[in-house]
Each structure stands twice: as structure tokens, then as C-alpha cells.
């Protein structure tokens, strides 16, 4: 079933499909070209690939009419898209509103096997058209490669669930949400994810590259590992090295739990992480990593991250609770508890700070509590650290500093710091116990 604009007058077409079943179509179940499509209480299922075998079996597709001028718009409500091939729902250079809709069990594309995406929102690169979409109270379950894929444009996802995204045939990707900046430089690549559950995906619960991202009141948990790297990250945000675009991340009131390798990773970007729990970050199958929050330099292009962690709680990580690596980090009113070593008994720092040649920014730590970590409260490796109103409680080594790559460390005590265990006070001395620096996790 297809609706398109009038190619003589240029007027957009209009089609409403309501309380219907669309099944076993070839190529696309419902197609909109430069027109308005309204879908309500519709079941679209078992869309089959094209007969030539080169195309997918898209449930609902929205695109610009290449011979017209009208911008396509889509509204889907109270509907279900089931067992598509390649894409469950795809919007290409148009506008969409998706509400109370489920997209389930999207199989991999017969040719482009990395695509079995639940919902895909793509800018139209040839025509320079961005995409804008809102997804509310919806479910994406059992896609392949990415449950939700966006490239450029503006996106809001609220009160939705993205779960059980399966790996691509090569075992590399099965991300819950994959969000990318415009590859052609169109402005305003941004996304908001609010009040969502992202669970049981593979490689990364959410991955964002080079765009503005706000994540609020969202749970990202139980990400499973991929077959290539043993990664099952919670949230990864990084700069786009091709477009030379930093990402800008704001995370508030979230729970990032029971992921593998790292709970939250920020690379070469800006980040504000507030009032967020990062809990139970697990080792990779190789027995390494398991870092709570990693804030890293982008080594590929030499760009540092600038990040603030405020009012956060980081529990039961491995190797390092918070890991500033060649980046400018402020830690305020934050607690890190119970960081454990890797399977070889290495590391176990509440906070581990590492400098890199040419990148030796200050890590400022204020009004924070670090306790019960297996190796140290704070360890710095060739990096400057400033401490004020910091409590270091029941760590084998409270403060440790080591030079690294001919870079010396420094620890500035700005007052109000306390070291000890339970009620027994100890002197806040900086030791150099020959500790090994942790390695980047991403």
C-alpha cells in the first residue's frame, strides 16, 4: 500500500489506515513518498523482501518523492510492526510521530546484513533533508544490529523500551540505540532520551557519536557482550572523528547497572553527569576492565574530554570506579564504593587518574567520599589532582602518585580532607607504592 504526492500539482497525498491488518507484502508493507500517512491500530506483519532479493521487507517506509518537493510526514499510533526484514520502520528525510507502537523481531537485511533495525531515522543525504521524530510509549524488541538507529536531525524518545537487540551476523553490533550526527554537516543533530528502559542489548545499550544528547530518568542495564571485543557497555558517547564534531552529553537521574566492560564512557567530548547511579559494572570475558565511569582522551585526533560528575554514586565496579584519562574532569559530591580488581588481581581504585603526553589537565575533586576500594582511594599517574573536602575511608592506600611517561604527578590538598577507616583517623599522605596504571577501556 503506497501514498505519494501529486506529481502534476505538487500537492501532498494523504492516506489514513485504521484498524487494519497489512501482511505478507513484498518490499514494503506501507509506503509514503512525499505525502502524509496516518496509521492507527494497524498490524503490519511478515513483510517479505523484494523478489530480486536485493531489498529488505520494510514494515513502514517514509521517504521524499525524488520527483517532487513535498516533505513526507508520518503518524503511527497504537500499532504493531512484526517480523519485518531490514527495517521495521524507516523515515528518510521526513517527519514522524510514533506513539504506543511496538516494533518486534526485525530480521537482518539479506544484503546489508548489519541492518535489522527496529526504527531507523535517516537524513536524506542527496537532498539535504534532515529528519525529525518523536517516539513515545513504544516498544522495540528483538531487532538486529540496532534497536533504534538515527543519523542526523532531531529525535525525542520518551517512556519507551528498547530491549533484546541481537547481534549482527559478524557478532559485532547489537546496540539498543545508535545515535549519530549528520554526515553532511546539517545543523542541529540532537537527541533526548527520557524515562526509558534500555535492557538486554549487545555491545552497547546506547551509543552516540558527535551530537547533542540528553538522557534523563532512564535505566540502561544488563547489556550483553558482543563476539568481537567482549564489550557490553551501558552508555558510550564519543566525538565524530570524520566530521570533527564533539558530542555534548547531559545525563541526569539515571541508573546504569549490570553492564560489561564499562558503565559509562565519554571520549573526546563534553559531559555533565548528575545524580546518576552506576552500579555493578562487570568484567569482560577476558577478566579485564569493568570500569564504572571512563572519561577518555580521543587518541585518534588528540581531543580531550571535559566532564563534570556531580551527585553521583558509583558502586561495585572493577579496576577503577571513575577513570579520568588525559581529560579535564571535575568530581563533586560523589561517592565511589567497593571497586574490585580484575581477574589477575590488578587495580581496584576508587578514582584512577592518568595523564598522556601533551594532555595533563587537572582533575578537581570536591566534597566526595571514596571508600572500601581494593587498592586505593585515589591514584594518579603523571597527572595533577586537587582535593578539597574529600573523605578517603577504609582503602588500603588512601592516596598514591606515580610518574608516567616522564610526566610527574601532583596532589594539591586544598583543605578539609579526611583519611582513615571507620572512626580511626590517619594522615592523608601521598604514597608512591609502584602501582600500575590502568589501561583505557574503549
Amino acid at each position: 500500500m503506497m501514498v505519494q504526492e501529486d506529481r502534476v500539482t505538487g500537492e501532498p497525498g494523504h492516506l489514513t489506515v485504521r484498524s487494519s491488518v497489512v501482511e505478507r507484502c513484498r518490499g514494503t508493507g506501507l509506503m509514503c513518498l512525499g505525502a502524509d500517512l496516518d496509521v492507527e491500530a494497524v498490524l503490519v506483519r511478515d513483510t517479505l523482501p523484494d523478489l530480486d532479493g536485493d531489498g529488505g521487507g520494510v514494515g513502514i517506509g517514509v521517504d521524499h518523492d525524488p520527483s517532487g518537493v513535498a516533505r513526507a510526514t508520518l503518524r503511527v499510533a497504537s500499532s504493531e510492526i512484526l517480523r519485518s526484514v531490514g527495517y521495521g520502520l524507516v523515515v528518510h528525510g521526513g517527519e514522524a510521530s510514533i506513539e504506543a507502537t511496538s516494533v518486534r523481531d526485525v530480521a537482518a537485511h539479506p544484503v546489508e546484513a548489519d541492518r535489522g533495525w527496529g526504527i531507523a531515522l535517516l537524513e536524506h543525504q542527496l537532498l539535504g533533508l534532515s529528519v525529525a521524530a518523536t517516539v513515545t510509549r513504544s516498544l522495540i524488541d528483538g531487532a538486529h544490529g540496532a534497536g533504534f538507529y538515527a543519523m542526523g536531525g532531531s529525535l525525542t524518545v520518551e517512556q519507551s523500551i528498547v530491549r533484546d537487540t541481537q547481534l549482527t551476523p559478524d557478532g559485532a553490533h547489537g546496540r539498543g540505540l545508535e545515535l549519530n550526527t549528520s554526515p553532511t554537516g546539517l545543523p542541529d543533530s540532537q537527541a533526548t532520551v527520557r524515562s526509558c528502559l534500555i535492557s538486554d542489548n549487545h555491545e552497547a545499550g546506547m551509543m552516540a557519536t558527535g551530537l547533542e544528547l540528553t538522557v534523563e530518568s532512564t535505566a540502561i542495564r544488563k547489556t550483553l557482550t558482543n563476539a568481537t571485543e567482549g564489550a557490553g557497555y551501558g552508555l558510550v558517547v564519543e566525538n565524530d572523528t570524520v566530521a570533527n564534531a564533539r558530542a555534548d552529553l547531559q545525563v541526569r537521574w539515571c541508573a546504569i547497572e549490570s553492564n560489561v566492560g564499562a558503565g559509562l564512557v565519554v571520549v573526546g567530548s563534553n559531559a555533565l553527569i548528575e545524580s546518576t547511579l552506576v552500579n555493578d559494572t562487570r568484567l569482560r570475558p577476558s577478566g579485564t576492565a569493568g570500569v564504572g565511569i571512563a572519561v577518555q582522551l580521543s587518541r585518534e585526533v588528540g581531543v580531550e574530554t571535559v566532564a563534570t560528575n556531580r551527585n553521583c554514586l558509583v558502586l561495585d565496579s572493577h579496576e577503577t570506579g571513575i577513570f579520568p584519562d588525559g581529560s579535564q574532569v571535575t568530581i563533586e559530591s560523589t561517592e565511589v564504593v567497593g571497586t574490585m580488581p580484575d581477574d589477575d588481581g590488578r587495580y581496584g581504585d576508587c578514582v584512577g587518574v592518568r595523564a598522556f603526553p601533551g594532555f595533563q589537565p587537572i582533575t578537581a575533586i570536591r566534597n566526595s567520599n571514596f571508600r572500601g576500594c581494593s587498592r586505593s582511594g585515589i591514584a594518579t599517574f603523571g597527572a595533577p589532582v586537587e582535593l578539597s573536602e574529600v573523605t578517603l575511608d577504609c582503602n588500603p592506600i588512601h592516596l598514591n602518585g606515580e610518574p608516567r611517561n616522564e610526566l610527574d604527578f601532583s596532589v594539591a590538598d586544598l583543605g578539609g580532607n579526611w583519611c582513615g577507616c571507620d572512626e580511626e583517623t590517619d594522615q592523608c599522605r601521598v604514597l608512591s607504592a609502584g602501582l600500575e596504571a590502568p589501561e583505557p577501556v574503549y
Side-chain angles (χ1 to χ4, degrees):
M1 190 179 298
M2 183 176 73
V3 57
Q4 65 186 66
E5 70 174 284
D6 189 313
R7 295 185 174 180
V8 177
T9 66
E11 291 295 318
H14 300 272
L15 175 65
T16 297
V17 184
R18 184 176 294 121
S19 303
S20 301
V21 176
V22 180
E23 62 181 345
R24 297 189 65 80
C25 299
R26 284 282 180 185
T28 306
L30 293 171
M31 186 66 189
C32 173
L33 292 176
D36 299 330
L37 176 60
D38 196 323
V39 179
E40 184 175 352
V42 171
L43 171 61
V44 182
R45 66 186 178 195
D46 298 319
T47 308
L48 304 172
D50 290 331
L51 289 173
D52 60 13
D54 292 334
V58 179
I60 299 177
V62 176
D63 204 342
H64 184 82
D65 189 333
S67 64
V69 296
R71 185 177 174 89
T73 63
L74 170 70
R75 188 184 80 88
V76 182
S78 305
S79 295
E80 183 172 8
I81 304 168
L82 181 63
R83 294 188 297 272
S84 304
V85 179
Y87 305 90
L89 187 155
V90 58
V91 180
H92 202 195
E95 299 178 1
S97 172
I98 303 162
E99 182 178 2
T101 290
S102 65
V103 181
R104 296 190 290 131
D105 300 333
V106 182
H109 193 283
V111 177
E112 299 172 309
D114 62 330
R115 302 188 181 189
W117 300 338
I119 295 178
L121 305 171
L122 311 172
E123 74 170 46
H124 202 301
Q125 297 185 48
L126 293 177
L127 300 176
L129 297 175
S130 63
V131 62
T134 301
V135 180
T136 308
R137 297 187 295 115
S138 294
L139 168 68
I140 305 174
D141 184 8
H144 281 77
F148 203 113
Y149 184 95
M151 182 178 66
S154 177
L155 166 67
T156 299
V157 184
E158 295 183 308
Q159 299 177 308
S160 295
I161 298 172
V162 183
R163 68 187 182 200
D164 294 326
T165 308
Q166 301 301 303
L167 288 168
T168 50
D170 62 3
H173 308 307
R175 299 163 182 169
L177 289 86
E178 182 174 346
L179 311 171
N180 300 284
T181 192
S182 166
T184 60
L186 290 178
D188 301 326
S189 292
Q190 58 186 4
T192 297
V193 179
R194 183 179 294 118
S195 302
C196 292
L197 172 61
I198 302 164
S199 181
D200 295 283
N201 301 289
H202 287 79
E203 189 210 2
M206 187 186 314
M207 181 170 288
T209 303
L211 78 167
E212 296 181 16
L213 173 63
T214 299
V215 185
E216 296 180 338
S217 304
T218 289
I220 306 173
R221 65 189 190 195
K222 295 194 293 185
T223 309
L224 306 172
T225 57
N226 62 359
T228 54
E229 302 164 343
Y233 307 122
L235 170 61
V236 177
V237 177
E238 61 182 331
N239 59 315
D240 187 325
T241 57
V242 176
N244 193 29
R246 293 173 68 89
D248 195 334
L249 169 69
Q250 296 189 42
V251 178
R252 302 183 186 90
W253 318 307
C254 292
I256 303 174
E257 299 184 278
S258 302
N259 300 293
V260 180
L264 194 160
V265 181
V266 186
V267 180
S269 300
N270 306 317
L272 173 61
I273 306 161
E274 292 186 298
S275 304
T276 288
L277 168 67
V278 181
N279 180 37
D280 184 33
T281 308
R282 302 171 181 180
L283 295 169
R284 290 173 175 160
S286 62
T288 60
V291 173
I293 300 175
V295 182
Q296 296 184 193
L297 168 77
S298 175
R299 285 166 177 75
E300 185 175 351
V301 293
V303 175
E304 70 178 15
T305 293
V306 179
T308 296
N309 294 274
R310 182 181 297 132
N311 298 322
C312 292
L313 178 60
V314 182
L315 301 175
D316 297 335
S317 306
H318 290 79
E319 294 196 351
T320 312
I322 300 177
F323 181 28
D325 179 28
S327 294
Q328 181 180 327
V329 178
T330 299
I331 302 171
E332 297 179 344
S333 304
T334 287
E335 187 168 10
V336 181
V337 182
T339 307
M340 296 169 280
D342 67 10
D343 272 355
D344 291 331
R346 300 180 303 169
Y347 317 122
D349 307 315
C350 290
V351 177
V353 185
R354 200 176 82 151
F356 191 81
F359 296 89
Q360 202 178 14
I362 294 173
T363 296
I365 306 176
R366 311 183 187 108
N367 191 33
S368 295
N369 184 4
F370 308 120
R371 59 186 172 90
C373 294
S374 65
R375 188 172 77 164
S376 76
I378 299 172
T380 173
F381 302 90
V385 176
E386 295 181 348
L387 308 178
S388 61
E389 304 291 336
V390 172
T391 296
L392 295 158
D393 188 6
C394 292
N395 306 293
I397 299 174
H398 301 305
L399 294 167
N400 192 90
E402 309 285 350
R404 182 174 184 275
N405 292 335
E406 300 183 352
L407 300 174
D408 203 1
F409 69 90
S410 66
V411 178
D413 187 338
L414 304 184
N417 301 306
W418 184 88
C419 297
C421 189
D422 297 327
E423 296 182 359
E424 184 176 342
T425 300
D426 195 3
Q427 185 177 357
C428 287
R429 294 178 299 174
V430 181
L431 304 181
S432 292
L435 302 186
E436 180 184 359
E439 293 297 321
V441 299
Y442 184 82

